[in-house]
Amino acid sequence: MTPVARLPRQDRAAIAQKRLLSVLGAHSIATARTIEQKISDAGPFNQRVDPHVLTEVRNGLVAEGKLVRIHHANVPWFHLPDTDPALIAERLNVQLPVYQAINAGALSVRVGQALEIAVYKAFIKTGTAEFYGRFKDLDDHDDSTNYSKEEPPQHIGARSLPGNQNLDFLYRDPVAGFMGVECKNVREWLYPDRPELIDALRKCLALDCMPVLIGRRIPYVTYLLLTQCGAVCHQLYNQLLPAVEADLAARARDKTILGY
């Protein structure tokens, strides 16, 4: 079976359009993130199309009137033009509260900390890792509130970061030297033009350390670019949420809701 990555772009676009119309026919209305999850992440092996192709196809269908884009809570949602308005309202009422809850500003810091804590515990588990950046009160309370983090140093020798910038962690390998570890616990695929990625590279360049990027999904183009520059990329495939948000995570994973 020929992987999608080796198919001509027009063939990938055709697969994306077919899958997109099928997903929205079954889901009624969905956000871009749900569409990406069901096609770019979870589609059949020979129908996985990266988000940059999917976005182009989706925008083209909107321009042709074959897809409708509407906004609710400042978020674009998509549905087929002939979908029953009553069904759209019903499905939106099911999905929107979950989408808003999982993207709430009050939760965002704790979501970011969830991945940083996982990386921190992995460092601790090695027993011999030399790293900087730590959480001081993990045993004092649960993750319904933010933990206190001691950030890594802003400098390595004479090299330093401007202002109040920090990497998530600094790790020193006996052979490779210092590595700047950045944890990006976001749903969006980390393309090379993402601000989070550019910011991480800028900080690592300032400190002259090897970039290490940890994120949910890192497309091949990002992997190819960064590894050629000596960076390390690690995909999680899943977004981490605080343990106390298990019920919310279960609702977000429900294939009839967000399908994450």
Side-chain angles (χ1 to χ4, degrees):
M1 184 178 295
T2 304
V4 166
R6 296 181 182 178
L7 291 175
R9 188 178 182 88
Q10 62 268 28
D11 292 345
R12 285 181 284 154
I15 290 173
Q17 178 170 325
K18 180 179 178 181
R19 289 286 297 154
L20 178 55
L21 297 177
S22 174
V23 165
L24 288 176
H27 212 74
S28 301
I29 185 169
T31 67
R33 301 287 83 82
T34 292
I35 294 170
E36 285 176 6
Q37 178 67 38
K38 291 182 175 292
I39 298 177
S40 300
D41 282 277
F45 176 76
N46 66 331
Q47 293 186 19
R48 291 178 185 169
V49 180
D50 280 0
H52 68 281
V53 176
L54 181 59
T55 298
E56 184 178 299
V57 170
R58 189 191 66 215
N59 291 341
L61 290 174
V62 171
E64 294 170 10
K66 297 177 180 178
L67 204 62
V68 177
R69 180 194 290 119
I70 58 177
H71 285 77
H72 290 278
N74 296 319
V75 177
W77 296 74
F78 301 88
H79 67 82
L80 301 179
D82 58 351
T83 306
D84 183 352
L87 180 58
I88 291 174
E90 177 187 333
R91 295 289 296 128
L92 188 63
N93 287 337
V94 171
Q95 298 178 73
L96 185 56
V98 180
Y99 185 90
Q100 290 177 309
I102 207 167
N103 289 283
L107 180 59
S108 62
V109 175
R110 292 190 292 125
V111 168
Q113 283 197 345
L115 178 54
E116 291 184 29
I117 290 168
V119 172
Y120 171 68
K121 288 184 174 181
F123 286 153
I124 292 291
K125 193 171 182 179
T126 68
T128 57
E130 181 182 342
F131 67 95
Y132 302 92
R134 64 172 181 146
F135 289 90
K136 301 187 291 184
D137 56 347
L138 290 182
D139 297 326
D140 294 348
H141 58 83
D142 65 18
D143 54 11
S144 60
T145 56
N146 297 337
Y147 290 106
S148 298
K149 186 185 179 192
E150 182 180 296
E151 299 292 351
Q154 289 186 287
H155 74 100
I156 299 176
R159 293 181 175 270
S160 62
L161 296 175
N164 295 318
Q165 296 182 41
N166 293 95
L167 287 158
D168 290 331
F169 298 98
L170 278 173
Y171 176 93
R172 193 177 76 84
D173 181 86
V175 177
F178 275 103
M179 301 180 180
V181 182
E182 286 282 82
C183 307
K184 303 303 178 185
N185 194 21
V186 296
R187 288 221 62 81
E188 295 89 339
W189 291 42
L190 294 170
Y191 276 92
D193 61 347
R194 291 278 303 186
E196 303 99 319
L197 191 150
I198 295 172
D199 184 58
L201 294 179
R202 185 181 293 114
K203 288 187 282 189
C204 289
L205 283 171
L207 295 179
D208 193 22
C209 60
M210 179 186 296
V212 177
L213 178 67
I214 304 174
R216 190 187 77 86
R217 290 306 307 264
I218 301 173
Y220 180 70
V221 64
T222 302
Y223 172 83
L224 183 64
L225 176 65
L226 293 190
T227 54
Q228 290 293 317
C229 299
V232 176
C233 301
H234 179 68
Q235 285 191 106
L236 298 171
Y237 295 100
N238 294 294
Q239 186 179 26
L240 305 184
L241 262 66
V244 296
E245 303 295 346
D247 289 344
L248 175 59
R251 284 186 288 153
R253 281 196 303 263
D254 189 319
K255 64 180 182 181
T256 66
I257 304 180
L258 301 183
Y260 288 172

